[in-house]
Amino acid sequence: MIAKRLFVSAVSRLDVTVRGADGPGSTLGRGGPEMTIHRPDEFFARFGRDALIGFGEAYLTGAWDEGPAGDLGGFLSVLSADLPRLVPEPLQRARAAVVRRPPALHRNTERQTRGNIAHHYDLSNDLFAAFLDPTLSYSSALFDADLEAARDHVGSLERAAAPQPGDDLEAGQVRKIERLLDVTGVGPGTRVLEIGTGWGELAIRAAARGATVHSVTLSSEQQALAQRRIDDAGHSEAVTVELCDYRAVQGTYDAVVSVEMIEAVGHEYWSTYFRTIDRVLAPGGRVGIQAITMPHDRMLATKRTYTWINKYIFPGGFLPSVQVLDEITRADTSLRMTGRLSMGQHYAETLRQWDLASADAAERFAELGFDETFRRMWHFYLEYSRAGFASGYIDVNQLVFTREDVA
Protein backbone atom coordinates (compact mmCIF):
# COMPACT_ATOMS: atom_id res chain seq x y z
CA MET A 1 0.00 0.00 0.00
CA ILE A 2 1.52 3.30 -1.15
CA ALA A 3 0.05 5.25 1.79
CA LYS A 4 1.67 2.93 4.31
CA ARG A 5 5.06 3.10 2.58
CA LEU A 6 4.93 6.92 2.54
CA PHE A 7 3.92 7.09 6.19
CA VAL A 8 6.58 4.62 7.34
CA SER A 9 9.28 6.40 5.33
CA ALA A 10 8.31 9.78 6.78
CA VAL A 11 8.01 8.88 10.46
CA SER A 12 11.05 6.59 10.48
CA ARG A 13 13.34 9.63 10.18
CA LEU A 14 11.52 11.80 12.71
CA ASP A 15 11.98 12.23 16.46
CA VAL A 16 8.72 10.46 17.29
CA THR A 17 7.59 7.03 18.43
CA VAL A 18 4.82 5.35 16.41
CA ARG A 19 3.45 2.12 17.83
CA GLY A 20 1.23 -0.40 16.12
CA ALA A 21 1.71 0.41 12.43
CA ASP A 22 2.57 -3.25 11.78
CA GLY A 23 0.47 -4.63 14.60
CA PRO A 24 0.99 -4.88 18.38
CA GLY A 25 4.58 -4.46 19.47
CA SER A 26 5.85 -2.77 16.30
CA THR A 27 7.63 0.59 16.65
CA LEU A 28 8.72 3.27 14.18
CA GLY A 29 10.60 6.54 14.57
CA ARG A 30 13.73 7.75 16.32
CA GLY A 31 12.08 8.25 19.70
CA GLY A 32 10.01 11.14 21.02
CA PRO A 33 6.32 12.06 21.37
CA GLU A 34 4.16 9.03 20.80
CA MET A 35 1.37 7.92 18.50
CA THR A 36 -0.40 4.59 18.91
CA ILE A 37 -2.24 3.06 15.94
CA HIS A 38 -5.03 0.82 17.21
CA ARG A 39 -6.59 -0.14 13.87
CA PRO A 40 -3.87 0.01 11.20
CA ASP A 41 -6.08 -1.19 8.33
CA GLU A 42 -8.55 1.63 8.94
CA PHE A 43 -5.80 4.18 9.57
CA PHE A 44 -3.92 3.50 6.34
CA ALA A 45 -7.13 3.23 4.30
CA ARG A 46 -8.24 6.66 5.49
CA PHE A 47 -4.76 8.15 5.07
CA GLY A 48 -4.43 6.68 1.59
CA ARG A 49 -7.84 7.90 0.48
CA ASP A 50 -7.84 11.41 1.95
CA ALA A 51 -4.25 12.17 3.02
CA LEU A 52 -4.16 14.64 5.95
CA ILE A 53 -7.96 14.83 6.10
CA GLY A 54 -8.00 11.06 6.51
CA PHE A 55 -5.21 11.27 9.09
CA GLY A 56 -7.36 13.60 11.20
CA GLU A 57 -10.54 11.59 10.64
CA ALA A 58 -8.78 8.45 11.82
CA TYR A 59 -8.12 10.25 15.10
CA LEU A 60 -11.81 11.16 15.40
CA THR A 61 -12.84 7.51 15.06
CA GLY A 62 -10.18 6.31 17.50
CA ALA A 63 -8.15 4.41 14.89
CA TRP A 64 -5.13 6.11 16.47
CA ASP A 65 -4.38 8.42 19.35
CA GLU A 66 -1.54 9.95 21.31
CA GLY A 67 0.54 7.61 23.44
CA PRO A 68 0.18 7.08 27.19
CA ALA A 69 1.93 10.40 27.90
CA GLY A 70 -0.98 12.18 26.19
CA ASP A 71 1.14 14.65 24.20
CA LEU A 72 -0.83 14.99 20.97
CA GLY A 73 0.46 18.54 20.42
CA GLY A 74 4.06 17.43 20.88
CA PHE A 75 3.66 14.66 18.31
CA LEU A 76 1.96 16.94 15.80
CA SER A 77 4.59 19.64 16.38
CA VAL A 78 7.32 17.30 15.13
CA LEU A 79 5.28 16.57 12.02
CA SER A 80 4.51 20.26 11.47
CA ALA A 81 8.17 21.27 11.70
CA ASP A 82 8.98 18.86 8.86
CA LEU A 83 5.73 19.17 6.92
CA PRO A 84 7.16 20.63 3.69
CA ARG A 85 9.58 17.66 3.50
CA LEU A 86 7.36 14.80 4.66
CA VAL A 87 6.24 14.00 1.11
CA PRO A 88 9.03 13.30 -1.44
CA GLU A 89 9.60 16.17 -3.86
CA PRO A 90 8.50 14.29 -7.00
CA LEU A 91 5.16 13.57 -5.33
CA GLN A 92 4.88 17.17 -4.12
CA ARG A 93 5.11 18.32 -7.73
CA ALA A 94 2.18 16.04 -8.53
CA ARG A 95 0.04 17.26 -5.64
CA ALA A 96 -1.98 19.59 -7.86
CA ALA A 97 -3.38 16.56 -9.67
CA VAL A 98 -4.43 14.66 -6.56
CA VAL A 99 -5.30 17.04 -3.69
CA ARG A 100 -8.93 17.84 -3.09
CA ARG A 101 -10.15 21.32 -3.96
CA PRO A 102 -12.35 23.38 -1.64
CA PRO A 103 -16.06 22.91 -2.42
CA ALA A 104 -17.72 25.72 -4.31
CA LEU A 105 -20.09 26.25 -1.37
CA HIS A 106 -17.09 27.24 0.78
CA ARG A 107 -16.28 30.22 -1.40
CA ASN A 108 -16.87 33.35 0.72
CA THR A 109 -19.31 35.19 -1.49
CA GLU A 110 -21.69 37.60 0.19
CA ARG A 111 -24.42 34.97 -0.07
CA GLN A 112 -22.37 32.11 1.38
CA THR A 113 -20.11 33.72 3.97
CA ARG A 114 -22.68 33.83 6.76
CA GLY A 115 -23.20 30.07 6.55
CA ASN A 116 -19.46 29.46 6.68
CA ILE A 117 -19.16 31.64 9.77
CA ALA A 118 -22.18 30.07 11.47
CA HIS A 119 -20.68 26.58 11.02
CA HIS A 120 -18.18 27.38 13.78
CA TYR A 121 -19.09 30.54 15.63
CA ASP A 122 -22.77 29.68 16.10
CA LEU A 123 -22.02 26.29 17.68
CA SER A 124 -22.96 27.51 21.17
CA ASN A 125 -22.00 30.52 23.27
CA ASP A 126 -22.03 28.20 26.28
CA LEU A 127 -19.50 25.91 24.59
CA PHE A 128 -17.02 28.74 24.08
CA ALA A 129 -17.62 30.11 27.57
CA ALA A 130 -16.69 26.70 28.98
CA PHE A 131 -13.02 27.01 27.96
CA LEU A 132 -12.30 30.69 27.23
CA ASP A 133 -11.10 33.18 29.86
CA PRO A 134 -13.53 35.78 31.30
CA THR A 135 -12.89 38.21 28.41
CA LEU A 136 -14.30 35.57 26.01
CA SER A 137 -11.41 36.30 23.64
CA TYR A 138 -11.12 33.61 20.96
CA SER A 139 -7.78 34.69 19.51
CA SER A 140 -4.15 34.72 20.55
CA ALA A 141 -3.21 36.35 23.82
CA LEU A 142 -0.08 38.48 24.15
CA PHE A 143 1.60 37.41 27.35
CA ASP A 144 4.07 39.56 29.25
CA ALA A 145 7.28 39.11 27.22
CA ASP A 146 10.27 41.04 25.96
CA LEU A 147 10.04 42.40 22.41
CA GLU A 148 13.05 42.41 20.12
CA ALA A 149 13.69 44.13 16.81
CA ALA A 150 14.11 41.87 13.78
CA ARG A 151 13.98 41.94 9.99
CA ASP A 152 12.87 39.61 7.24
CA HIS A 153 12.36 39.92 3.49
CA VAL A 154 9.16 41.96 4.04
CA GLY A 155 10.89 44.48 6.29
CA SER A 156 11.38 45.37 9.94
CA LEU A 157 9.26 43.91 12.72
CA GLU A 158 9.11 43.26 16.43
CA ARG A 159 9.15 39.71 17.75
CA ALA A 160 7.74 38.69 21.13
CA ALA A 161 9.86 36.32 23.18
CA ALA A 162 8.23 33.01 24.10
CA PRO A 163 5.93 33.17 27.13
CA GLN A 164 6.20 31.00 30.21
CA PRO A 165 3.84 28.02 30.46
CA GLY A 166 0.94 28.91 32.71
CA ASP A 167 1.16 32.68 32.21
CA ASP A 168 -2.07 34.49 33.06
CA LEU A 169 -4.37 34.05 30.04
CA GLU A 170 -6.87 36.77 30.93
CA ALA A 171 -4.09 39.32 31.44
CA GLY A 172 -2.60 38.26 28.11
CA GLN A 173 -5.89 38.77 26.31
CA VAL A 174 -6.31 42.23 27.81
CA ARG A 175 -2.73 43.10 26.82
CA LYS A 176 -3.39 41.99 23.23
CA ILE A 177 -6.50 44.15 22.93
CA GLU A 178 -5.04 47.21 24.61
CA ARG A 179 -1.96 47.09 22.40
CA LEU A 180 -4.10 46.99 19.27
CA LEU A 181 -6.08 49.98 20.50
CA ASP A 182 -2.85 51.80 21.36
CA VAL A 183 -1.25 51.32 17.94
CA THR A 184 -4.39 52.53 16.18
CA GLY A 185 -4.66 55.60 18.40
CA VAL A 186 -8.07 54.81 19.87
CA GLY A 187 -9.12 57.38 22.49
CA PRO A 188 -11.81 59.94 23.33
CA GLY A 189 -13.89 60.79 20.25
CA THR A 190 -12.32 58.17 17.98
CA ARG A 191 -14.70 56.61 15.47
CA VAL A 192 -13.87 52.89 15.42
CA LEU A 193 -14.93 50.20 12.96
CA GLU A 194 -14.43 46.66 14.23
CA ILE A 195 -14.65 43.91 11.61
CA GLY A 196 -15.51 40.73 13.48
CA THR A 197 -17.13 41.39 16.85
CA GLY A 198 -16.27 38.21 18.72
CA TRP A 199 -18.04 38.46 22.06
CA GLY A 200 -17.53 42.18 22.43
CA GLU A 201 -14.43 42.62 24.59
CA LEU A 202 -12.52 44.87 22.18
CA ALA A 203 -15.59 47.05 21.61
CA ILE A 204 -16.10 47.38 25.37
CA ARG A 205 -12.49 48.43 25.91
CA ALA A 206 -12.55 50.88 23.01
CA ALA A 207 -15.73 52.46 24.41
CA ALA A 208 -14.12 52.67 27.85
CA ARG A 209 -11.48 54.88 26.22
CA GLY A 210 -14.18 57.26 25.01
CA ALA A 211 -14.50 55.95 21.44
CA THR A 212 -17.68 55.26 19.51
CA VAL A 213 -17.67 51.80 17.96
CA HIS A 214 -19.44 50.24 14.99
CA SER A 215 -18.81 46.51 15.19
CA VAL A 216 -19.93 44.10 12.46
CA THR A 217 -20.32 40.33 12.64
CA LEU A 218 -22.00 37.51 10.72
CA SER A 219 -22.59 35.36 13.80
CA SER A 220 -26.03 35.84 15.31
CA GLU A 221 -24.93 33.98 18.46
CA GLN A 222 -21.97 36.30 18.95
CA GLN A 223 -24.04 39.38 18.21
CA ALA A 224 -26.57 38.52 20.91
CA LEU A 225 -24.05 37.82 23.65
CA ALA A 226 -21.75 40.69 22.66
CA GLN A 227 -24.65 43.13 22.86
CA ARG A 228 -25.61 41.81 26.28
CA ARG A 229 -22.05 42.16 27.55
CA ILE A 230 -21.79 45.69 26.11
CA ASP A 231 -25.08 46.65 27.78
CA ASP A 232 -23.94 45.19 31.11
CA ALA A 233 -20.69 47.19 30.86
CA GLY A 234 -22.68 50.40 30.41
CA HIS A 235 -21.59 51.17 26.85
CA SER A 236 -24.87 50.77 24.95
CA GLU A 237 -24.78 54.38 23.75
CA ALA A 238 -21.23 54.12 22.41
CA VAL A 239 -21.30 50.73 20.67
CA THR A 240 -23.44 49.40 17.83
CA VAL A 241 -23.18 45.70 16.94
CA GLU A 242 -24.59 45.00 13.48
CA LEU A 243 -25.17 41.71 11.67
CA CYS A 244 -23.48 42.84 8.47
CA ASP A 245 -20.97 41.65 5.88
CA TYR A 246 -17.80 43.76 5.90
CA ARG A 247 -18.34 44.57 2.22
CA ALA A 248 -21.57 46.40 3.05
CA VAL A 249 -20.11 48.71 5.71
CA GLN A 250 -20.74 52.43 5.24
CA GLY A 251 -19.40 55.46 7.07
CA THR A 252 -16.05 57.03 7.89
CA TYR A 253 -13.77 55.85 10.70
CA ASP A 254 -10.60 57.06 12.37
CA ALA A 255 -9.52 53.52 13.26
CA VAL A 256 -10.34 50.12 11.79
CA VAL A 257 -9.53 47.08 13.92
CA SER A 258 -10.00 43.41 13.17
CA VAL A 259 -8.79 40.46 15.22
CA GLU A 260 -8.28 37.15 13.42
CA MET A 261 -11.09 37.69 10.95
CA ILE A 262 -9.08 37.95 7.73
CA GLU A 263 -8.47 34.18 7.88
CA ALA A 264 -12.18 33.75 7.10
CA VAL A 265 -12.19 36.15 4.12
CA GLY A 266 -10.81 33.75 1.50
CA HIS A 267 -7.89 34.54 -0.78
CA GLU A 268 -10.22 35.57 -3.61
CA TYR A 269 -11.48 38.47 -1.47
CA TRP A 270 -8.37 39.81 0.27
CA SER A 271 -8.24 42.74 -2.15
CA THR A 272 -11.94 43.45 -1.58
CA TYR A 273 -11.39 43.38 2.18
CA PHE A 274 -8.59 45.94 2.09
CA ARG A 275 -10.27 48.12 -0.52
CA THR A 276 -13.30 48.27 1.77
CA ILE A 277 -11.11 49.38 4.67
CA ASP A 278 -9.39 51.94 2.44
CA ARG A 279 -12.80 53.28 1.39
CA VAL A 280 -14.08 53.91 4.94
CA LEU A 281 -10.83 55.03 6.61
CA ALA A 282 -10.67 58.75 7.38
CA PRO A 283 -7.63 60.87 6.45
CA GLY A 284 -4.92 60.21 9.00
CA GLY A 285 -6.67 57.02 10.13
CA ARG A 286 -4.95 53.83 11.25
CA VAL A 287 -5.70 50.14 10.76
CA GLY A 288 -4.81 47.38 13.21
CA ILE A 289 -5.24 43.76 12.15
CA GLN A 290 -4.32 40.65 14.10
CA ALA A 291 -3.80 37.90 11.54
CA ILE A 292 -2.73 34.27 11.55
CA THR A 293 -0.21 33.91 8.75
CA MET A 294 1.85 31.27 7.01
CA PRO A 295 5.10 31.44 5.02
CA HIS A 296 4.59 32.80 1.52
CA ASP A 297 5.88 29.70 -0.28
CA ARG A 298 3.60 27.39 1.73
CA MET A 299 0.67 29.72 1.11
CA LEU A 300 1.23 29.48 -2.64
CA ALA A 301 1.65 25.70 -2.49
CA THR A 302 -1.57 25.14 -0.52
CA LYS A 303 -3.74 27.92 -1.92
CA ARG A 304 -6.31 25.61 -3.48
CA THR A 305 -6.11 22.71 -1.04
CA TYR A 306 -9.06 21.41 0.95
CA THR A 307 -7.89 20.65 4.48
CA TRP A 308 -9.14 18.94 7.64
CA ILE A 309 -9.55 22.38 9.22
CA ASN A 310 -11.72 23.50 6.27
CA LYS A 311 -13.90 20.40 6.47
CA TYR A 312 -14.46 20.30 10.21
CA ILE A 313 -13.74 23.74 11.68
CA PHE A 314 -13.49 26.73 9.31
CA PRO A 315 -15.14 26.19 5.90
CA GLY A 316 -13.82 28.74 3.45
CA GLY A 317 -10.89 29.73 5.65
CA PHE A 318 -7.37 30.27 4.37
CA LEU A 319 -4.27 31.83 5.93
CA PRO A 320 -2.47 34.66 4.13
CA SER A 321 1.24 35.42 4.28
CA VAL A 322 2.52 38.74 5.54
CA GLN A 323 4.08 39.22 2.12
CA VAL A 324 0.80 38.86 0.23
CA LEU A 325 -0.95 41.33 2.55
CA ASP A 326 1.84 43.82 1.93
CA GLU A 327 1.65 43.24 -1.83
CA ILE A 328 -2.15 43.53 -2.03
CA THR A 329 -2.36 46.73 -0.02
CA ARG A 330 0.42 48.31 -2.08
CA ALA A 331 -1.17 47.28 -5.37
CA ASP A 332 -4.84 47.92 -4.64
CA THR A 333 -5.10 50.54 -1.89
CA SER A 334 -3.47 53.58 -0.35
CA LEU A 335 -2.71 51.55 2.80
CA ARG A 336 0.88 50.79 3.74
CA MET A 337 2.10 48.33 6.34
CA THR A 338 3.97 50.42 8.93
CA GLY A 339 4.15 48.13 11.96
CA ARG A 340 4.36 44.42 12.71
CA LEU A 341 4.56 42.29 15.84
CA SER A 342 5.16 38.54 15.47
CA MET A 343 3.97 36.44 18.43
CA GLY A 344 3.39 32.88 17.24
CA GLN A 345 4.68 31.22 20.42
CA HIS A 346 2.04 33.16 22.34
CA TYR A 347 -0.65 31.44 20.29
CA ALA A 348 0.89 28.06 21.08
CA GLU A 349 0.54 28.81 24.80
CA THR A 350 -2.98 30.22 24.33
CA LEU A 351 -4.06 27.03 22.57
CA ARG A 352 -2.39 24.84 25.20
CA GLN A 353 -4.42 26.55 27.90
CA TRP A 354 -7.64 26.30 25.87
CA ASP A 355 -7.09 22.58 25.37
CA LEU A 356 -6.52 21.99 29.08
CA ALA A 357 -9.63 24.02 29.90
CA SER A 358 -11.64 22.06 27.31
CA ALA A 359 -10.53 18.77 28.89
CA ASP A 360 -11.55 20.06 32.31
CA ALA A 361 -14.93 21.05 30.83
CA ALA A 362 -15.67 17.62 29.31
CA GLU A 363 -18.76 17.16 31.47
CA ARG A 364 -20.03 20.60 30.48
CA PHE A 365 -19.48 19.76 26.79
CA ALA A 366 -21.55 16.59 27.30
CA GLU A 367 -24.32 18.53 29.09
CA LEU A 368 -24.49 20.83 26.07
CA GLY A 369 -24.99 17.83 23.78
CA PHE A 370 -21.48 17.51 22.31
CA ASP A 371 -20.58 13.83 22.10
CA GLU A 372 -17.27 11.99 22.39
CA THR A 373 -16.54 12.26 18.67
CA PHE A 374 -16.99 16.03 18.85
CA ARG A 375 -14.70 16.24 21.89
CA ARG A 376 -12.01 14.25 20.08
CA MET A 377 -12.43 16.58 17.09
CA TRP A 378 -12.12 19.61 19.34
CA HIS A 379 -9.00 18.26 21.06
CA PHE A 380 -7.41 17.44 17.69
CA TYR A 381 -8.27 20.92 16.35
CA LEU A 382 -6.70 22.74 19.30
CA GLU A 383 -3.58 20.56 19.40
CA TYR A 384 -3.21 20.52 15.60
CA SER A 385 -3.31 24.32 15.69
CA ARG A 386 -0.92 24.53 18.64
CA ALA A 387 1.55 22.35 16.78
CA GLY A 388 1.57 24.75 13.84
CA PHE A 389 2.53 27.69 16.05
CA ALA A 390 4.92 25.76 18.30
CA SER A 391 6.85 24.48 15.26
CA GLY A 392 6.90 27.87 13.53
CA TYR A 393 4.97 26.52 10.55
CA ILE A 394 2.39 29.28 11.10
CA ASP A 395 2.56 32.60 12.97
CA VAL A 396 0.27 35.31 14.29
CA ASN A 397 0.97 39.00 13.77
CA GLN A 398 -0.43 42.34 14.82
CA LEU A 399 -0.15 44.45 11.67
CA VAL A 400 -0.52 48.22 11.49
CA PHE A 401 -1.45 50.03 8.26
CA THR A 402 -1.56 53.76 7.68
CA ARG A 403 -2.99 55.62 4.74
CA GLU A 404 -1.14 57.54 2.06
CA ASP A 405 -3.49 60.49 2.11
CA VAL A 406 -3.47 62.72 -0.93
CA ALA A 407 -3.48 66.44 -0.09
Side-chain angles (χ1 to χ4, degrees):
M1 181 187 292
I2 295 175
K4 184 173 182 179
R5 290 203 299 270
L6 282 173
F7 180 82
V8 169
S9 174
V11 300
S12 293
R13 55 186 172 81
L14 297 179
D15 294 329
V16 295
T17 300
V18 176
R19 305 186 189 280
D22 281 317
S26 65
T27 303
L28 299 170
R30 303 192 307 186
E34 296 185 10
M35 167 190 184
T36 300
I37 301 176
H38 301 293
R39 300 192 296 275
D41 288 347
E42 178 189 343
F43 172 78
F44 288 115
R46 289 182 178 276
F47 183 60
R49 184 172 59 248
D50 288 314
L52 290 179
I53 292 178
F55 178 80
E57 289 178 335
Y59 184 85
L60 268 59
T61 68
W64 72 274
D65 59 26
E66 57 266 56
D71 189 11
L72 177 60
F75 177 80
L76 295 174
S77 292
V78 178
L79 269 61
S80 292
D82 208 51
L83 196 58
R85 297 172 293 278
L86 284 180
V87 177
E89 190 171 338
L91 292 180
Q92 289 217 26
R93 289 196 293 268
R95 65 175 282 128
V98 297
V99 296
R100 293 176 63 182
R101 298 299 193 221
L105 285 174
H106 284 192
R107 188 180 174 93
N108 283 304
T109 64
E110 290 190 60
R111 175 176 294 182
Q112 294 174 174
T113 298
R114 186 172 178 184
N116 289 339
I117 294 296
H119 177 88
H120 188 71
Y121 292 99
D122 284 352
L123 278 170
S124 163
N125 286 335
D126 291 333
L127 168 74
F128 288 100
F131 71 93
L132 295 177
D133 71 280
T135 70
L136 294 185
S137 295
Y138 189 42
S139 50
S140 179
L142 175 58
F143 298 98
D144 193 9
D146 293 333
L147 305 181
E148 61 179 22
R151 288 192 64 83
D152 63 14
H153 65 284
V154 180
S156 60
L157 69 148
E158 288 184 299
R159 183 172 285 118
Q164 295 298 311
D167 275 356
D168 188 316
L169 180 58
E170 182 178 0
Q173 294 291 9
V174 170
R175 184 177 295 107
K176 172 270 299 294
I177 293 170
E178 295 292 349
R179 183 185 186 277
L180 205 58
L181 297 177
D182 286 344
V183 297
T184 51
V186 174
T190 306
R191 298 164 297 174
V192 177
L193 170 65
E194 181 186 25
I195 302 177
T197 306
W199 285 278
E201 187 69 19
L202 187 148
I204 290 168
R205 292 186 172 274
R209 292 181 173 216
T212 57
V213 184
H214 180 199
S215 186
V216 297
T217 179
L218 288 176
S219 167
S220 55
E221 288 283 313
Q222 287 190 329
Q223 181 196 32
L225 182 52
Q227 189 63 64
R228 187 158 67 246
R229 296 182 73 235
I230 290 162
D231 294 345
D232 291 346
H235 296 302
S236 304
E237 296 294 321
V239 181
T240 301
V241 181
E242 183 181 8
L243 203 62
C244 173
D245 189 282
Y246 69 90
R247 286 164 282 213
V249 168
Q250 300 297 319
T252 303
Y253 304 92
D254 306 301
V256 178
V257 291
S258 187
V259 177
E260 294 180 26
M261 182 272 179
I262 194 171
E263 303 85 353
V265 166
H267 62 84
E268 305 96 333
Y269 300 100
W270 288 336
S271 178
T272 302
Y273 174 82
F274 281 108
R275 284 189 282 111
T276 299
I277 292 173
D278 197 23
R279 170 173 58 81
V280 301
L281 190 67
R286 300 173 71 83
V287 180
I289 293 174
Q290 184 163 309
I292 303 172
T293 61
M294 67 191 318
H296 192 67
D297 60 337
R298 298 311 303 162
M299 184 207 74
L300 295 175
T302 60
K303 197 171 184 179
R304 292 175 176 83
T305 301
Y306 186 49
T307 67
W308 185 91
I309 287 286
N310 293 144
K311 183 173 182 178
Y312 286 96
I313 310 297
F314 298 116
F318 186 68
L319 304 183
S321 66
V322 173
Q323 180 177 330
V324 80
L325 299 184
D326 184 51
E327 291 173 350
I328 285 173
T329 50
R330 288 182 180 278
D332 298 343
T333 75
S334 63
L335 303 173
R336 297 295 179 266
M337 190 184 298
T338 54
R340 181 157 52 116
L341 172 66
S342 166
M343 53 188 204
Q345 292 303 313
H346 292 243
Y347 220 150
E349 174 60 16
T350 301
L351 285 154
R352 189 188 71 83
Q353 293 197 32
W354 287 347
D355 188 52
L356 291 174
S358 294
D360 289 343
E363 289 187 9
R364 180 59 176 151
F365 277 36
E367 290 171 359
L368 293 169
F370 296 100
D371 63 14
E372 176 63 20
T373 300
F374 178 90
R375 294 194 293 275
R376 288 183 69 87
M377 180 196 75
W378 199 259
H379 176 51
F380 188 82
Y381 150 56
L382 293 175
E383 291 295 274
Y384 178 92
S385 301
R386 178 168 77 91
F389 292 103
S391 67
Y393 185 76
I394 54 178
D395 195 7
V396 63
N397 293 266
Q398 284 195 351
L399 306 173
V400 180
F401 298 86
T402 55
R403 247 184 107 185
E404 285 190 339
D405 294 310
V406 179

